[in-house]
Amino acid sequence: MERIEVDGKLVKLSFNKDFYSDKAIEQTIADFAEVCHAKWEGELLVLTPKEMIDLDELGREFYNYVLGIMKNG
C-alpha cells in the first residue's frame, strides 16, 4: 500500500512493488529532478524539495505522476 510520511523537510514514500513499476518510478524521479532530490532508503523513496512547497502535495503529485506514466506508457 502506498504511504506518504512527512518527516521535517522530507517526504517518504512507500510503493507496493507488485503494483508500481520500477520503470515508472525511475521516470518520475527523473522528471521531478527540477523540483526535488530523490533517493532510496531501503524500501522508502525519500524526496527532498529544492524549494518551499507543500510536502503532502509533493507526495500526492509524485504518486499521481507515476500512475499516469503507467497508464499512458
Side-chain angles (χ1 to χ4, degrees), residues 9-36:
K9 296 180 181 181
L10 307 173
V11 179
K12 297 180 180 180
L13 306 177
S14 63
F15 291 91
N16 179 337
K17 295 294 188 163
D18 293 331
F19 180 77
Y20 291 94
S21 77
D22 289 337
K23 181 179 177 183
I25 294 169
E26 293 302 323
Q27 181 63 52
T28 303
I29 290 170
D31 291 348
F32 271 59
E34 290 184 28
V35 177
C36 62

Side-chain angles (χ1 to χ4, degrees), residues 4-13 29 32-39 45-59 62:
I4 301 172
E5 177 184 330
V6 175
D7 183 9
K9 296 180 181 181
L10 307 173
V11 179
K12 297 180 180 180
L13 306 177
I29 290 170
F32 271 59
E34 290 184 28
V35 177
C36 62
H37 299 285
K39 68 177 180 174
L45 180 64
V46 178
L47 306 178
T48 306
K50 294 182 176 181
E51 297 179 5
M52 280 290 275
I53 57 175
D54 182 280
L55 298 177
D56 284 320
E57 184 175 347
L58 174 61
F62 196 95

